[in-house]
Amino acid sequence: MKIRVERDGLADAVAWVARSVPSRPPVPVLGGVLLDASSEDTLTISGFDYEVSAQVGVEATVESTGRTLVSGRLLADITKALPSRPVDITVDGSRVGITCGSSRFSLPTMPVEDYPQLPGMPEHAGSVPGDLFGEAVSQVAIAAGKDETLPMLTGVRIEIDSDRLTMVATDRFRLAMREFAWEPSGSVADTAVLVPAKTLADSAKTLASADSKVEISLASGDGLLGLSGPRRRNTSRLLDAEFPKYRQLLPTETSASAIVDVTPLVEAIKRVSLVAERGTQVRLEFSDSGLRLTAGGDDEGSAEEELAVEFSGDPLTVAFNPGYLLDGLGALKTDRAQMLFTTSSRPALIKPVGQDGEVSEGYLYLLMPVRMPG
Amino acid sequence: MATRVGLRSGADTLDPSLVDVGRISFNDGVKRWVLHVDMDAFFASVEQFTRPTVRDRAVLVGGLGPRGTVAGASYQAREYGARSAMPMSEARRRCPVAVILPPRFRLYQAVSRQIFEIVRAASQHVEQVSIDEAFLEPEELTGAPTEVVRDFASRLRAQVHHTVGVTASIGAGSGKQLAKIASGLAKPNGALIVPPEQEGELLASLPVRKLWGIGPITESKLHRIGVRTIGEFAALQPGDVISLLGQAHGIELHRLAQGVDEHPVAERGEAKQVSAETTFDTDITDSGKLTSEVTGMAQAAHRRLVASGRAARTVTVKARDSSFTTISRAETLPSATSDFSALAAAARRLTPVAAPPGTPVRLVGVSYSGLATAEQESLFGNPADEPAADSLRSHAPVETPPAMAAPGTEEMPAPAWRAGDDIHHPEWGHGWVQGAGIGRVTVRFETARTGSGPTRTFTIGDPALSPADPLASLG
């Protein structure tokens, strides 16, 4: 094998694939990335750890075809550090040579035949504009749990209901949900799957691009989700755990509503929470005269700040974990937000408000308050 | 309200030459009276009080999950050998007829607050030990005769029972040690006032392990030289005690054994952390056994956490190996919690890190820190806690849906209602879920004030059913 590729494209591709390479592989070959130059003008780079597979095609000048397997981590470090010049990759016996400008590396290879076959893409289910997909995943994945002992909460649930696609995640304390229209292929069956949130967020980042579509491949029987964009595809094993029944958690009626400006509120929360007892709570007092934020107490110091808000309903005081509240406000991607309450011990809803002053349906962030002592 | 003073004579187990009661000295000057108030099977009793249907039944409070441990066992369940801190699976094996209820710590806290209002009104000096236990040293009793103390104790017990509906046992003596031993002997629902002249006799006959500060290690050292009772220990020469147990520890224990107990009754300062630890008779290498010990310590520390009315953000597991090397490992949770499942899961995750598998471990401890008064509530129950569905199956006087006969077949997620949940119905009032399965939920409508109430079965999604505050079960 002897090929030439551009350094930038190569470094990006290897970096992306190497993310799915385990840092401590159970068998050495799984720590490798597969370089495949079987066609005339493409180098295909693949990585697989039995959970996630990633594959990228990079434009290449192929002088002689071939395949080789090298350490993913090492290759990622090297390509990142190379100067911005064409890179020549040559396989000679059991070693691979990488030449770029005046730097030359020689790396040992691993036996290609020992490398596992990457899973095939499941059946194509439909497509979503890249930027929409990226935004939706980032809005939802923040609410996913990180506790591996509760696997059902570490995923993003993706529900397909003909031309509606719903993503939802929760860590028990908050729940984020995004619904949008997508373009299902011919005859996709309604289904719901649970995808590891971290994997999904990683691949959405690389696939999100304003001028392309993300193709979703899904067959719940296979236990796999496939995502692909131009020259990139990846698969992720689905979580075999049942997501909590969440629709019943969404409040059907509320007793108070506030329209807030997101940026001033975010800044005020960050300021007052500096004195919050171990960052556990900021208190929000809503009344017709506006919003009063307070945190802390006599021992650790206290802070307060007032903001103008449009409030209607019964005045109430409610406390939140500032980190969770900031996550929700940050995920809205709008300048204004609507906050809906029932009582200070029931979950609050946060929704984006568009430029036209209308609440944009489609996204919601449900946050459970902090119980105040006494 | 019978006061028990009947003491088992130690004469049959003692070599009289070893015990010289006359040498046992008590405090000089005015006689102290310290009382130890301890609620009887507190968690289980509160459940029995607020859910009259289970009042005379064996009740186990705790999680049903594979890691579930017993947080409380009613006296009926104890007759079968079920105990607090035992794995739930073992408790159920010993007491298959038990009704299993998930803990409602907020309710226990509320009842505890009422109890402590009464206790604090009765005595200027109070030391709250945990959610259900306190020492008192009322000034009015200083130097009082035994009869006055007995009346005081019986009035206090009556007042607690009348106000909160659950019973307390009281022990009284010249120091905290004796008061605690006496309340243990008085249980359940009793009082034991140890008159000064009987203190020596009472202590002398008890096994040394009953003495504060004597754990399995010290106990085995004493057993090795043939000392089995506190009386035998008290009779040892100070020099022998020091050579066996060391200067500081030995002398302190020896004085306690002789009835000299000057520990003051004083409110404890606000703790920065709560913890529990245990030393094993023999080092543990089996990781399953170690995990279960860690879970037990996580539970003991959790009781103290709940008692302090706070939530913890950081869980620390400490392990000491056979070479006395101590390793502590901590994990900080995203938010402060008092949820036992979450805290215990963190402790279990830390266990193999603090004590790599195969290490002979002689001590483990669990501590909670980063304590906060505010707690992040959750939208729904911890899915790690298996639904306690069908725990009442063998007793429920309702036709149970067939699915309930097969626990575990209903996979996650938990149904909307779990057995033990508090529920409100506009027509029927306050109730609790007896069982849920295949789209139906059976609710028993009763509170502490209603007596045993009726059951009704609804479809799971019945809009008339809404979650209720556990405190409403007090009626």
Side-chain angles (χ1 to χ4, degrees), chain B residues 461-472:
Chain B
D462 193 321
L465 296 175
S466 59
D469 189 339
L471 301 191

Side-chain angles (χ1 to χ4, degrees), chain B residues 213-408:
Chain B
I214 296 196
I217 306 287
T218 310
E219 182 188 35
S220 68
K221 281 183 187 164
L222 290 169
H223 281 181
R224 233 173 282 146
I225 60 160
V227 172
R228 302 208 159 255
T229 65
I230 295 178
E232 290 165 351
F233 179 45
L236 291 176
Q237 291 301 320
D240 296 341
V241 173
I242 292 169
S243 64
L244 186 70
L245 304 175
Q247 175 83 39
H249 190 51
I251 288 300
E252 169 72 19
L253 286 175
H254 198 221
R255 282 165 62 84
L256 269 181
Q258 294 180 330
V260 183
D261 180 4
E262 285 155 2
H263 295 292
V265 172
E267 200 74 80
R268 299 173 179 196
E270 183 151 292
K272 295 262 187 278
Q273 60 157 40
V274 292
S275 61
E277 63 178 50
T278 183
T279 307
F280 308 120
D281 300 350
T282 49
D283 295 351
I284 290 183
T285 44
D286 177 62
S287 65
K289 183 136 190 284
L290 189 63
T291 304
S292 105
E293 292 290 346
V294 167
T295 307
M297 290 304 104
Q299 186 174 44
H302 183 247
R303 282 180 96 95
R304 290 173 194 165
L305 182 70
V306 171
S308 72
R310 287 182 292 171
R313 200 164 170 213
T314 302
V315 179
T316 306
V317 169
K318 171 170 98 174
R320 181 171 298 155
D321 68 16
S322 51
S323 67
F324 279 84
T325 307
T326 307
I327 299 179
S328 292
R329 288 292 177 267
E331 180 175 326
T332 296
L333 305 169
S335 66
T337 180
S338 62
D339 176 25
F340 175 68
S341 307
L343 294 168
R348 282 193 294 268
R349 283 196 291 277
L350 291 166
T351 305
V353 192
T359 314
V361 178
R362 56 176 282 118
L363 172 150
V364 288
V366 174
S367 79
Y368 303 136
S369 53
L371 304 182
T373 45
E375 174 172 8
Q376 173 69 50
E377 296 272 34
S378 54
L379 294 162
F380 51 91
N382 190 334
D385 301 333
E386 268 176 33
D390 94 333
S391 68
L392 267 184
R393 178 165 45 96
S394 50
H395 289 298
V398 290
E399 64 295 9
T400 12
M404 291 175 57

